[in-house]
Amino acid sequence: MISQKTKYAIKALMALADEVAAGGNALTIEEIAQRSGAPKRFLEHIMLELRNAGYVGSRRGRAGGYILIKQPKEISIGELLRQVDGPIAPLPCLSRRSYQRCEDCTDEASCRLRRMFGQVFWSYLLLIESLTLADLVEDGGLPEMGAA
């Protein structure tokens, strides 16, 4: 599962993307909090992290606030998940960026857990890496899913 922090980050970026699409200006932290449902105090830390990661910029002054500095189609959901939550692999031995050998594994090549979770994770990666912020904000961007 993704963390609440990641949900708030995605919702904040969606609010900024919606504002850009509507031809609007920068949004204050209060406006982002109101539109995203994120607590303002928590959102301040998230926005700083998103700014440091190069997703948003900030403006000072009367028309100040946060602005999206990347196009929504350039913001990978998979990359955003890693940025906010860290590695997304179900096992440390499957992570590309934070690989660690499992302590209880004697042979990765014959590990059935690694093979099974690797197949599931590969399918997940194909999907999550293909999604962008644009897919979340554009009408009809994602197919409807049944209840899981």
Side-chain angles (χ1 to χ4, degrees):
M1 287 194 292
I2 64 171
S3 68
Q4 191 65 42
K5 180 180 176 183
T6 297
K7 284 176 71 174
Y8 288 150
I10 293 171
K11 287 180 175 187
L13 290 174
M14 288 171 46
L16 292 172
D18 287 342
E19 186 66 18
V20 168
N25 296 314
L27 295 178
T28 65
I29 196 79
E30 291 83 7
E31 290 170 320
I32 297 169
Q34 184 179 21
R35 293 180 190 194
S36 68
K40 180 185 167 196
R41 192 173 47 102
F42 194 39
L43 191 57
E44 289 171 343
H45 298 288
I46 293 170
M47 296 309 293
L48 180 62
E49 199 171 313
L50 293 175
R51 191 184 80 195
N52 291 340
Y55 294 114
V56 301
S58 57
R59 290 186 191 156
R60 294 181 185 250
R62 174 174 246 156
Y66 288 94
I67 55 170
L68 201 59
I69 59 174
K70 279 189 164 184
Q71 293 293 319
K73 65 182 178 189
E74 296 173 350
I75 299 176
S76 161
I77 298 301
E79 195 57 43
L80 180 62
L81 291 176
R82 285 185 194 90
Q83 184 69 41
V84 178
D85 276 346
I88 59 176
L91 296 170
C93 64
L94 292 172
S95 179
R96 287 189 255 162
R97 296 188 182 156
S98 299
Y99 170 85
Q100 289 183 353
R101 189 174 182 88
C102 294
E103 292 178 16
D104 59 343
C105 185
T106 56
D107 181 22
E108 284 184 357
S110 64
C111 178
R112 291 184 282 177
L113 279 176
R114 185 175 199 269
R115 185 172 42 244
M116 191 265 304
F117 278 105
Q119 290 171 354
V120 171
F121 183 52
W122 179 250
S123 297
Y124 172 76
L125 274 182
L126 286 175
L127 177 60
I128 205 74
E129 294 294 340
S130 71
L131 295 175
T132 66
L133 183 61
D135 293 316
L136 297 177
V137 296
E138 293 173 357
D139 289 336
L142 296 174
E144 289 295 319
M145 294 178 49

